[in-house]
Amino acid sequence: SNKKRRLWTGDAIGSSDVAAILGVDAFRNKADVYWSKVQQLDTPENDAMDAGTRFEPVVIDWLEEQVGIIGRNVVKVHPKWPDVPIRVNCDGIILADERPAEGKTSGLLGPTKEQWGDDMTADVPDRVLVQCHALMLCTERELCKVAAFIGRRGFARFQIPRNDKLAEIIERDVVRFWTENVLVEVAP
């Protein structure tokens, strides 16, 4: 595929960046995030990424049928640090309780490579768990809802409660990455 996706987001750390910084993203690592912050990058978008992006609104539509009206694509900024910008794009915010909602797809174009647990549990891939915690940090909520469409399984719902220890690790590691790598332009 010759599709391109603009990744440059040098002025902030997003939820998927947090997963890569913590080393739980199979597709990107800390160095990838660093270079996306200090220079503008064009990277190819593969067919699976394109399908996931296109199908994500359908997944959020399905979740909305389960939980009520959801505001879409809401940007939130971490309230604690003006100098370490964590800015996330929540796929949705459930209007009834202002909890973040995340839409995911897995295995749309081939076998599912990640482990997804039973419905209504917190058993999601580590990268999704970390992304949800970044959303909870920025929205100051204690629970994140995840809707997923998983190949050979269909729609599933998950609930991720905040884990204070993981939240502390995220905050510590993101601050360290931003101040010791990005701001001073020292590659990890």
Side-chain angles (χ1 to χ4, degrees):
S1 170
N2 62 0
K3 299 176 202 90
K4 295 276 185 186
R5 181 170 69 142
R6 177 82 50 202
L7 285 180
W8 189 69
T9 55
D11 61 341
I13 300 289
S15 61
S16 61
D17 294 333
V18 173
I21 290 166
L22 267 60
V24 296
D25 186 330
F27 310 104
R28 295 172 61 219
N29 61 39
K30 189 184 285 191
D32 296 324
V33 176
Y34 170 79
W35 289 110
S36 76
K37 303 305 165 194
V38 299
Q39 68 181 15
Q40 200 164 5
L41 296 177
D42 279 331
T43 58
E45 181 177 68
N46 63 42
D47 289 338
M49 292 166 66
D50 182 47
T53 299
R54 291 173 187 269
F55 199 60
E56 186 177 278
V58 174
V59 175
I60 294 296
D61 287 345
W62 176 80
L63 180 62
E64 188 171 58
E65 292 173 9
Q66 314 299 309
V67 301
I69 298 172
I70 296 176
R72 309 297 172 101
N73 298 313
V74 178
V75 176
K76 294 287 188 174
V77 177
H78 193 294
K80 276 175 57 175
W81 308 306
D83 298 333
V84 182
I86 300 177
R87 183 176 60 226
V88 298
N89 181 18
C90 302
D91 294 337
I93 297 288
I94 300 167
L95 296 186
D97 54 19
E98 297 186 10
R99 289 180 174 157
E102 186 73 0
K104 295 294 183 188
T105 61
S106 184
L108 290 180
L109 299 180
T112 302
K113 296 179 181 175
E114 298 176 303
Q115 294 294 326
W116 293 85
D118 294 332
D119 286 2
M120 301 304 288
T121 68
D123 191 7
V124 297
D126 288 345
R127 72 176 176 85
V128 176
L129 180 70
V130 169
Q131 289 174 345
C132 288
H133 273 75
L135 298 179
M136 287 185 278
L137 284 167
C138 291
T139 59
E140 298 183 285
R141 292 294 179 260
E142 300 296 318
L143 187 74
C144 182
K145 301 274 187 171
V146 177
F149 187 88
I150 303 165
R152 295 187 163 186
R153 177 172 168 183
F155 289 105
R157 273 175 44 187
F158 302 90
Q159 300 189 102
I160 312 302
R162 180 181 167 124
N163 176 307
D164 289 333
K165 178 80 170 156
L166 178 55
E168 289 171 16
I169 291 168
I170 290 169
E171 289 179 328
R172 180 198 68 212
D173 288 3
V174 168
V175 168
R176 184 178 296 146
F177 174 76
W178 189 260
T179 58
E180 295 178 8
N181 297 111
V182 176
L183 289 181
V184 294
E185 295 191 19
V186 174

